[in-house]
Amino acid sequence: MAEKDRIDLEWKILDRAVARLRAGVLAVVFGMSAACALFGATVWLLIRDSNTIGPHLNLLGNFFPGYAVTWPGAFIGFGYAFLTGAVIAWCIAWIYNVLIHLRHKRKSGRKNVLPGGE
């Protein structure tokens, strides 16, 4: 019986240590990181001022309508990259939170609803 108590105590400590991710905060952080990276890459190519300006980066225009390696394109790309990074980060946080919730539910035996519907 002492072994079971020790295992239960370990799970309680682990449950406190494993925190849920805040999807909104993660989305803003990833969105800003992606936006600044694309904006910086575009501006770097524009400042460098060579004959061929970013043929590879120009391919993003296929996915982000209106984006090109130009000054207006840098700002358009900033918006698209922010949105893309935010959506991806929010999905990652939501999946992580669901998995943590299901794991906790399985270990504790409680019948809770999924995160967001609590």
Side-chain angles (χ1 to χ4, degrees), residues 1 18 24 47 49 52 54-56 60 66 70 73-74 83 87 106 108 115-116:
M1 191 66 157
V18 176
I47 291 173
D49 195 33
T52 57
H56 295 100
L60 280 177
T70 60
L83 185 63
V87 167
R106 186 186 75 191
S108 67

Side-chain angles (χ1 to χ4, degrees), residues 1 12 14 16-18 25 31-32 34 37 39 43 52 57 59 62 66 71 95-96 108 111 116:
M1 191 66 157
K12 286 179 184 177
L14 185 62
R16 283 190 215 133
V18 176
V25 173
M32 286 302 293
F39 184 83
V43 169
T52 57
L57 203 55
L59 292 174
N62 294 327
W71 286 103
I95 291 169
Y96 175 84
S108 67
K111 304 288 186 208

Side-chain angles (χ1 to χ4, degrees), residues 23-44:
V25 173
L26 194 66
V28 170
V29 169
F30 272 55
M32 286 302 293
S33 298
C36 289
L38 182 58
F39 184 83
T42 304
V43 169
W44 175 263

